[in-house]
Amino acid sequence: MTNNKERLATLQSQYDRFREAGLKLDLTRGKPAPQQLDLSNELDGILDGFYLLQDGTDVRNYGGILGIPEARKLGAELLDVDPALVMAGGNSSLALMFEYARHQMTHWQPGDETIRFLCPVPGYDRHFTVCKALGIEMINIPLLDSGPDMDAVEAAVAADPDIKGIWCVPKYSNPTGITYSDETVQRLAKLPKTAGAHLTVFWDNAYLVHDLEDTTDPLANIFQLAEQAGTADGIVMFASTSKITFAGAGVAFVAASGANLAAFEKHLSMQMIGFDKINQLRHVRFLKDRAGVIEHMEKHRSLIKPKFDLVLDKLDAALGGKDLATWTRPRGGYFISL
Protein backbone atom coordinates (compact mmCIF):
# COMPACT_ATOMS: atom_id res chain seq x y z
CA MET A 1 0.00 0.00 0.00
CA THR A 2 2.87 2.36 0.89
CA ASN A 3 4.53 1.75 -2.48
CA ASN A 4 1.27 2.53 -4.26
CA LYS A 5 0.89 5.77 -2.34
CA GLU A 6 4.47 6.77 -3.10
CA ARG A 7 3.97 5.96 -6.78
CA LEU A 8 0.75 8.00 -6.85
CA ALA A 9 2.49 10.95 -5.18
CA THR A 10 5.34 10.80 -7.73
CA LEU A 11 2.96 10.70 -10.68
CA GLN A 12 0.84 13.52 -9.23
CA SER A 13 3.97 15.64 -8.81
CA GLN A 14 4.99 15.03 -12.44
CA TYR A 15 1.48 15.85 -13.64
CA ASP A 16 1.41 19.05 -11.62
CA ARG A 17 4.71 20.17 -13.15
CA PHE A 18 3.33 19.62 -16.65
CA ARG A 19 0.26 21.71 -15.81
CA GLU A 20 2.31 24.48 -14.22
CA ALA A 21 4.46 24.73 -17.35
CA GLY A 22 1.45 26.21 -19.16
CA LEU A 23 2.28 24.48 -22.43
CA LYS A 24 0.01 25.16 -25.40
CA LEU A 25 0.68 22.25 -27.72
CA ASP A 26 -1.04 22.02 -31.10
CA LEU A 27 -0.97 18.32 -31.96
CA THR A 28 -2.93 18.69 -35.20
CA ARG A 29 -1.62 16.06 -37.61
CA GLY A 30 0.34 17.43 -40.56
CA LYS A 31 -0.05 21.11 -39.70
CA PRO A 32 3.04 23.23 -40.57
CA ALA A 33 4.68 25.15 -37.74
CA PRO A 34 4.65 28.97 -37.83
CA GLN A 35 8.39 28.93 -38.64
CA GLN A 36 7.62 26.92 -41.77
CA LEU A 37 4.90 29.33 -42.84
CA ASP A 38 7.35 32.20 -42.33
CA LEU A 39 9.49 30.74 -45.13
CA SER A 40 6.86 31.95 -47.61
CA ASN A 41 6.22 35.44 -46.25
CA GLU A 42 7.77 36.89 -49.41
CA LEU A 43 4.53 35.93 -51.19
CA ASP A 44 2.92 38.96 -49.57
CA GLY A 45 3.50 41.87 -51.94
CA ILE A 46 5.62 39.94 -54.43
CA LEU A 47 3.52 41.09 -57.41
CA ASP A 48 4.21 44.75 -56.53
CA GLY A 49 1.32 45.96 -58.68
CA PHE A 50 2.34 43.98 -61.78
CA TYR A 51 -0.55 41.66 -62.62
CA LEU A 52 0.19 40.77 -66.25
CA LEU A 53 1.11 37.32 -67.55
CA GLN A 54 3.69 36.75 -70.25
CA ASP A 55 0.90 36.81 -72.87
CA GLY A 56 -0.46 40.10 -71.51
CA THR A 57 -3.45 38.61 -69.62
CA ASP A 58 -4.52 40.61 -66.55
CA VAL A 59 -4.94 38.08 -63.72
CA ARG A 60 -7.24 40.41 -61.78
CA ASN A 61 -10.11 39.71 -64.17
CA TYR A 62 -12.45 36.78 -64.84
CA GLY A 63 -11.70 33.66 -66.84
CA GLY A 64 -9.39 30.72 -67.19
CA ILE A 65 -10.65 27.68 -65.30
CA LEU A 66 -7.56 25.70 -66.33
CA GLY A 67 -5.38 28.27 -64.58
CA ILE A 68 -2.64 30.56 -65.82
CA PRO A 69 -0.12 28.96 -68.21
CA GLU A 70 2.79 29.71 -65.90
CA ALA A 71 1.16 27.87 -62.98
CA ARG A 72 0.15 24.95 -65.18
CA LYS A 73 3.78 24.67 -66.27
CA LEU A 74 4.94 24.63 -62.63
CA GLY A 75 2.42 21.90 -61.80
CA ALA A 76 3.54 19.93 -64.83
CA GLU A 77 7.17 20.10 -63.71
CA LEU A 78 6.21 18.80 -60.27
CA LEU A 79 4.04 15.97 -61.61
CA ASP A 80 6.31 15.29 -64.63
CA VAL A 81 3.58 15.51 -67.25
CA ASP A 82 2.73 17.73 -70.24
CA PRO A 83 1.49 21.21 -69.13
CA ALA A 84 -1.46 20.80 -71.52
CA LEU A 85 -2.74 18.03 -69.21
CA VAL A 86 -2.59 20.13 -66.02
CA MET A 87 -5.15 22.35 -64.34
CA ALA A 88 -3.97 24.85 -61.71
CA GLY A 89 -6.76 25.40 -59.22
CA GLY A 90 -7.43 26.96 -55.85
CA ASN A 91 -5.81 26.28 -52.51
CA SER A 92 -7.08 22.72 -51.99
CA SER A 93 -6.22 19.53 -53.85
CA LEU A 94 -8.79 17.78 -51.65
CA ALA A 95 -11.50 20.03 -53.11
CA LEU A 96 -10.37 19.03 -56.61
CA MET A 97 -10.49 15.35 -55.64
CA PHE A 98 -14.02 15.72 -54.28
CA GLU A 99 -15.20 17.54 -57.40
CA TYR A 100 -13.50 15.08 -59.73
CA ALA A 101 -15.14 12.15 -57.95
CA ARG A 102 -18.52 13.89 -58.02
CA HIS A 103 -18.03 14.65 -61.72
CA GLN A 104 -17.25 10.98 -62.42
CA MET A 105 -20.41 9.80 -60.62
CA THR A 106 -22.41 10.40 -63.80
CA HIS A 107 -20.25 7.76 -65.54
CA TRP A 108 -19.95 5.42 -62.58
CA GLN A 109 -23.60 5.33 -61.57
CA PRO A 110 -25.99 5.64 -64.54
CA GLY A 111 -28.51 3.40 -62.75
CA ASP A 112 -28.92 2.25 -59.16
CA GLU A 113 -25.63 0.40 -58.87
CA THR A 114 -23.61 0.64 -55.67
CA ILE A 115 -20.28 2.33 -56.37
CA ARG A 116 -17.26 1.01 -54.49
CA PHE A 117 -13.72 2.31 -53.95
CA LEU A 118 -10.63 0.43 -52.85
CA CYS A 119 -9.10 2.16 -49.83
CA PRO A 120 -5.57 1.16 -48.80
CA VAL A 121 -5.35 1.11 -45.00
CA PRO A 122 -3.91 2.67 -43.03
CA GLY A 123 -4.71 5.63 -45.26
CA TYR A 124 -5.76 9.26 -45.46
CA ASP A 125 -8.99 9.85 -43.52
CA ARG A 126 -10.08 12.70 -45.82
CA HIS A 127 -10.18 10.33 -48.77
CA PHE A 128 -12.57 8.15 -46.82
CA THR A 129 -14.66 11.21 -45.93
CA VAL A 130 -15.07 11.99 -49.65
CA CYS A 131 -16.40 8.47 -50.23
CA LYS A 132 -18.77 8.74 -47.29
CA ALA A 133 -20.11 12.10 -48.48
CA LEU A 134 -20.76 10.77 -51.99
CA GLY A 135 -22.31 7.50 -50.85
CA ILE A 136 -19.40 5.39 -52.14
CA GLU A 137 -18.88 2.08 -50.39
CA MET A 138 -15.30 1.54 -49.18
CA ILE A 139 -13.36 -1.73 -49.40
CA ASN A 140 -10.23 -2.01 -47.26
CA ILE A 141 -7.00 -3.10 -48.96
CA PRO A 142 -3.86 -3.77 -46.88
CA LEU A 143 -1.07 -1.23 -47.36
CA LEU A 144 2.27 -3.02 -47.53
CA ASP A 145 5.78 -1.59 -47.45
CA SER A 146 5.64 -1.59 -51.26
CA GLY A 147 2.21 0.05 -51.50
CA PRO A 148 -1.30 -1.42 -51.79
CA ASP A 149 -1.47 -5.23 -51.78
CA MET A 150 -1.75 -5.54 -55.55
CA ASP A 151 -2.79 -9.21 -55.51
CA ALA A 152 -5.80 -8.17 -53.40
CA VAL A 153 -6.43 -5.10 -55.58
CA GLU A 154 -6.41 -7.01 -58.85
CA ALA A 155 -8.55 -9.82 -57.45
CA ALA A 156 -11.12 -7.32 -56.16
CA VAL A 157 -11.54 -5.39 -59.41
CA ALA A 158 -11.67 -8.58 -61.45
CA ALA A 159 -14.52 -9.89 -59.29
CA ASP A 160 -16.54 -6.69 -58.87
CA PRO A 161 -17.37 -4.35 -61.78
CA ASP A 162 -18.87 -1.82 -59.34
CA ILE A 163 -15.39 -0.94 -58.05
CA LYS A 164 -14.75 2.37 -59.79
CA GLY A 165 -11.77 3.85 -57.96
CA ILE A 166 -8.77 3.41 -55.72
CA TRP A 167 -7.13 6.02 -53.51
CA CYS A 168 -3.33 6.26 -53.62
CA VAL A 169 -0.82 8.43 -51.74
CA PRO A 170 2.20 7.05 -53.57
CA LYS A 171 5.13 8.88 -52.00
CA TYR A 172 5.81 9.13 -48.25
CA SER A 173 2.28 7.84 -47.85
CA ASN A 174 -0.04 9.23 -45.21
CA PRO A 175 0.33 7.93 -42.49
CA THR A 176 3.05 5.27 -42.84
CA GLY A 177 5.64 7.20 -44.87
CA ILE A 178 6.21 4.39 -47.40
CA THR A 179 6.80 4.99 -51.12
CA TYR A 180 5.24 2.70 -53.74
CA SER A 181 7.61 0.31 -55.50
CA ASP A 182 8.12 0.36 -59.27
CA GLU A 183 6.24 -2.93 -59.61
CA THR A 184 3.26 -1.56 -57.67
CA VAL A 185 3.09 1.55 -59.85
CA GLN A 186 3.32 -0.53 -63.02
CA ARG A 187 0.47 -2.76 -61.89
CA LEU A 188 -1.65 0.23 -60.86
CA ALA A 189 -1.07 1.81 -64.28
CA LYS A 190 -2.52 -1.30 -65.93
CA LEU A 191 -5.41 -1.61 -63.46
CA PRO A 192 -8.05 0.27 -65.53
CA LYS A 193 -7.53 -2.29 -68.30
CA THR A 194 -8.03 -5.15 -65.81
CA ALA A 195 -11.10 -3.57 -64.26
CA GLY A 196 -12.93 -2.37 -67.33
CA ALA A 197 -14.77 0.86 -68.02
CA HIS A 198 -14.49 3.92 -65.84
CA LEU A 199 -12.20 2.71 -63.05
CA THR A 200 -10.06 5.65 -61.93
CA VAL A 201 -6.81 5.60 -60.00
CA PHE A 202 -6.81 8.69 -57.75
CA TRP A 203 -3.07 9.50 -57.50
CA ASP A 204 -2.77 11.96 -54.59
CA ASN A 205 0.93 12.82 -54.75
CA ALA A 206 0.72 15.16 -51.76
CA TYR A 207 4.32 14.75 -50.58
CA LEU A 208 6.17 14.51 -53.88
CA VAL A 209 8.95 16.97 -52.85
CA HIS A 210 8.80 16.58 -49.06
CA ASP A 211 12.14 14.85 -48.49
CA LEU A 212 13.85 14.43 -45.13
CA GLU A 213 17.07 12.94 -46.48
CA ASP A 214 19.65 14.07 -49.04
CA THR A 215 18.27 11.67 -51.63
CA THR A 216 14.60 11.36 -52.52
CA ASP A 217 12.69 8.09 -52.71
CA PRO A 218 12.31 7.21 -56.40
CA LEU A 219 8.72 6.97 -57.67
CA ALA A 220 7.82 5.65 -61.11
CA ASN A 221 5.77 7.95 -63.34
CA ILE A 222 2.32 6.33 -63.40
CA PHE A 223 1.03 8.58 -66.17
CA GLN A 224 3.82 7.63 -68.56
CA LEU A 225 3.27 3.96 -67.75
CA ALA A 226 -0.47 4.38 -68.29
CA GLU A 227 0.08 6.02 -71.67
CA GLN A 228 2.21 3.02 -72.67
CA ALA A 229 -0.52 0.66 -71.43
CA GLY A 230 -3.34 2.61 -73.10
CA THR A 231 -4.99 3.41 -69.76
CA ALA A 232 -4.30 7.16 -69.41
CA ASP A 233 -8.04 7.87 -69.19
CA GLY A 234 -8.07 5.88 -65.94
CA ILE A 235 -5.45 7.95 -64.12
CA VAL A 236 -5.93 11.31 -62.41
CA MET A 237 -3.09 12.95 -60.50
CA PHE A 238 -3.22 15.57 -57.75
CA ALA A 239 -0.66 17.75 -55.97
CA SER A 240 -0.54 21.11 -54.25
CA THR A 241 1.72 23.59 -52.52
CA SER A 242 0.28 22.62 -49.13
CA LYS A 243 3.19 22.25 -46.68
CA ILE A 244 5.30 24.07 -49.30
CA THR A 245 4.01 27.64 -49.00
CA PHE A 246 0.98 28.84 -47.03
CA ALA A 247 -1.14 25.89 -45.94
CA GLY A 248 -4.41 27.80 -46.34
CA ALA A 249 -3.53 29.91 -49.38
CA GLY A 250 -1.66 27.72 -51.83
CA VAL A 251 -2.23 26.33 -55.31
CA ALA A 252 -3.56 22.85 -56.14
CA PHE A 253 -2.99 20.92 -59.37
CA VAL A 254 -4.81 18.14 -61.18
CA ALA A 255 -3.43 16.25 -64.19
CA ALA A 256 -5.49 13.99 -66.44
CA SER A 257 -5.78 12.88 -70.03
CA GLY A 258 -6.81 15.55 -72.52
CA ALA A 259 -10.37 14.23 -72.80
CA ASN A 260 -10.79 13.90 -69.04
CA LEU A 261 -9.38 17.34 -68.33
CA ALA A 262 -11.71 18.94 -70.87
CA ALA A 263 -14.69 17.16 -69.33
CA PHE A 264 -13.67 18.23 -65.83
CA GLU A 265 -13.23 21.82 -66.99
CA LYS A 266 -16.79 21.73 -68.37
CA HIS A 267 -18.06 20.35 -65.04
CA LEU A 268 -16.39 23.15 -63.07
CA SER A 269 -17.65 25.82 -65.47
CA MET A 270 -21.13 25.35 -64.03
CA GLN A 271 -19.97 26.57 -60.60
CA MET A 272 -17.20 29.09 -61.28
CA ILE A 273 -15.65 31.49 -63.77
CA GLY A 274 -12.11 30.72 -62.68
CA PHE A 275 -9.77 30.13 -59.76
CA ASP A 276 -7.66 32.75 -57.98
CA LYS A 277 -5.19 33.65 -60.72
CA ILE A 278 -3.53 36.34 -58.59
CA ASN A 279 -2.49 33.69 -56.06
CA GLN A 280 -1.31 31.42 -58.85
CA LEU A 281 0.88 34.21 -60.23
CA ARG A 282 2.23 34.97 -56.74
CA HIS A 283 3.35 31.38 -56.40
CA VAL A 284 5.01 31.28 -59.81
CA ARG A 285 6.91 34.48 -59.09
CA PHE A 286 7.98 33.10 -55.69
CA LEU A 287 8.77 29.44 -56.50
CA LYS A 288 9.67 29.97 -60.18
CA ASP A 289 10.13 26.32 -61.21
CA ARG A 290 10.79 22.82 -59.87
CA ALA A 291 14.37 23.72 -58.97
CA GLY A 292 13.06 26.67 -56.96
CA VAL A 293 10.61 24.38 -55.18
CA ILE A 294 13.39 21.93 -54.25
CA GLU A 295 15.52 24.80 -52.93
CA HIS A 296 12.58 26.03 -50.87
CA MET A 297 11.93 22.54 -49.50
CA GLU A 298 15.50 22.37 -48.21
CA LYS A 299 14.55 25.16 -45.80
CA HIS A 300 11.56 23.14 -44.64
CA ARG A 301 13.77 20.10 -44.12
CA SER A 302 16.14 22.06 -41.89
CA LEU A 303 13.17 22.84 -39.62
CA ILE A 304 11.34 19.54 -39.47
CA LYS A 305 14.05 16.86 -39.76
CA PRO A 306 15.38 17.59 -36.23
CA LYS A 307 11.83 17.04 -34.96
CA PHE A 308 11.59 13.69 -36.71
CA ASP A 309 15.01 12.70 -35.36
CA LEU A 310 13.99 13.67 -31.82
CA VAL A 311 10.76 11.64 -31.96
CA LEU A 312 12.60 8.59 -33.31
CA ASP A 313 15.32 8.94 -30.66
CA LYS A 314 12.67 9.09 -27.91
CA LEU A 315 10.87 6.06 -29.31
CA ASP A 316 14.12 4.11 -29.50
CA ALA A 317 15.07 5.07 -25.95
CA ALA A 318 11.67 4.34 -24.38
CA LEU A 319 10.41 1.40 -26.43
CA GLY A 320 13.35 0.02 -28.38
CA GLY A 321 14.02 -3.67 -27.84
CA LYS A 322 11.03 -4.16 -25.54
CA ASP A 323 8.78 -5.84 -28.10
CA LEU A 324 5.95 -3.48 -27.15
CA ALA A 325 5.50 -1.45 -30.34
CA THR A 326 6.74 -0.88 -33.87
CA TRP A 327 7.03 2.37 -35.79
CA THR A 328 8.02 3.63 -39.22
CA ARG A 329 11.18 5.55 -40.14
CA PRO A 330 10.03 7.60 -43.13
CA ARG A 331 12.52 9.28 -45.47
CA GLY A 332 10.06 12.08 -46.17
CA GLY A 333 6.55 13.38 -45.70
CA TYR A 334 4.97 14.44 -42.43
CA PHE A 335 4.17 11.29 -40.47
CA ILE A 336 5.65 8.62 -38.22
CA SER A 337 3.23 5.73 -37.77
CA LEU A 338 3.42 4.06 -34.34
Side-chain angles (χ1 to χ4, degrees):
M1 182 66 71
T2 302
N3 287 340
N4 286 342
K5 288 183 177 180
E6 291 175 353
R7 178 63 173 158
L8 178 59
T10 299
L11 292 174
Q12 185 65 51
S13 177
Q14 292 175 350
Y15 177 68
D16 290 341
R17 287 200 300 272
F18 285 134
R19 291 192 64 187
E20 291 166 2
L23 299 175
K24 303 294 183 183
L25 301 178
D26 185 348
L27 299 181
T28 306
R29 187 176 68 162
K31 186 175 181 179
Q35 294 87 343
Q36 290 177 261
L37 300 176
D38 287 343
L39 296 176
S40 300
N41 284 345
E42 189 181 330
L43 280 167
D44 188 23
I46 196 170
L47 298 183
D48 195 24
F50 185 61
Y51 296 99
L52 299 182
L53 301 180
Q54 293 175 356
D55 64 2
T57 299
D58 188 333
V59 297
R60 297 172 298 177
N61 220 322
Y62 288 126
I65 288 179
L66 289 174
I68 66 173
E70 291 87 338
R72 296 175 69 189
K73 181 174 182 293
L74 176 62
E77 289 183 13
L78 293 176
L79 290 167
D80 196 15
V81 295
D82 188 328
L85 304 180
V86 174
M87 172 187 290
N91 72 315
S92 171
S93 57
L94 180 63
L96 290 176
M97 290 179 228
F98 182 92
E99 280 303 321
Y100 197 89
R102 187 164 70 162
H103 153 64
Q104 287 287 83
M105 293 292 285
T106 57
H107 303 299
W108 292 334
Q109 201 172 34
D112 296 325
E113 298 90 346
T114 297
I115 301 304
R116 299 182 181 89
F117 262 44
L118 300 181
C119 299
V121 291
Y124 182 30
D125 57 295
R126 297 282 184 142
H127 290 161
F128 309 150
T129 301
V130 170
C131 286
K132 184 177 180 180
L134 294 175
I136 296 171
E137 185 178 311
M138 293 172 271
I139 300 174
N140 290 350
I141 293 293
L143 184 69
L144 311 177
D145 289 343
S146 57
D149 182 337
M150 290 307 299
D151 289 342
V153 167
E154 290 165 350
V157 299
D160 188 351
D162 290 333
I163 295 174
K164 299 301 183 184
I166 180 172
W167 292 108
C168 297
V169 184
K171 189 167 183 177
Y172 307 137
S173 188
N174 178 347
T176 61
I178 63 100
T179 297
Y180 292 10
S181 69
D182 288 353
E183 180 188 357
T184 294
V185 179
Q186 290 167 356
R187 293 170 74 174
L188 283 166
K190 296 176 182 177
L191 194 63
K193 185 175 290 185
T194 305
H198 301 308
L199 181 132
T200 302
V201 177
F202 280 70
W203 197 252
D204 182 6
N205 209 349
Y207 309 106
L208 74 173
V209 291
H210 299 63
D211 302 305
L212 291 171
E213 306 294 340
D214 290 333
T215 56
T216 186
D217 276 5
L219 178 68
N221 188 319
I222 192 172
F223 204 82
Q224 290 180 1
L225 293 170
E227 287 180 323
Q228 295 168 11
T231 59
D233 284 341
I235 309 295
V236 60
M237 306 168 73
F238 301 90
S240 76
T241 64
S242 291
K243 302 177 182 63
I244 295 177
T245 58
F246 293 153
V251 179
F253 305 100
V254 56
S257 69
N260 283 347
L261 192 65
F264 188 46
E265 179 187 13
K266 182 178 180 181
H267 167 78
L268 290 176
S269 69
M270 292 179 279
Q271 58 181 286
M272 66 173 64
I273 306 300
F275 292 103
D276 184 347
K277 298 188 294 298
I278 294 175
N279 194 40
Q280 292 179 9
L281 183 58
R282 289 197 311 160
H283 276 74
V284 173
R285 296 260 177 92
F286 178 61
L287 295 170
K288 298 181 177 62
D289 51 24
R290 181 182 175 86
V293 172
I294 298 303
E295 181 180 352
H296 184 71
M297 294 308 294
E298 287 289 321
K299 300 173 185 177
H300 278 282
R301 182 171 71 143
S302 69
L303 291 173
I304 66 173
K305 187 177 189 308
K307 299 178 182 181
F308 272 79
D309 292 342
L310 178 61
V311 170
L312 292 170
D313 288 346
K314 293 293 185 181
L315 288 172
D316 287 336
L319 297 174
K322 296 183 178 179
D323 200 26
L324 293 173
T326 59
W327 53 92
T328 57
R329 296 178 179 274
R331 290 168 46 81
Y334 257 63
F335 310 101
I336 294 172
S337 184
L338 174 66

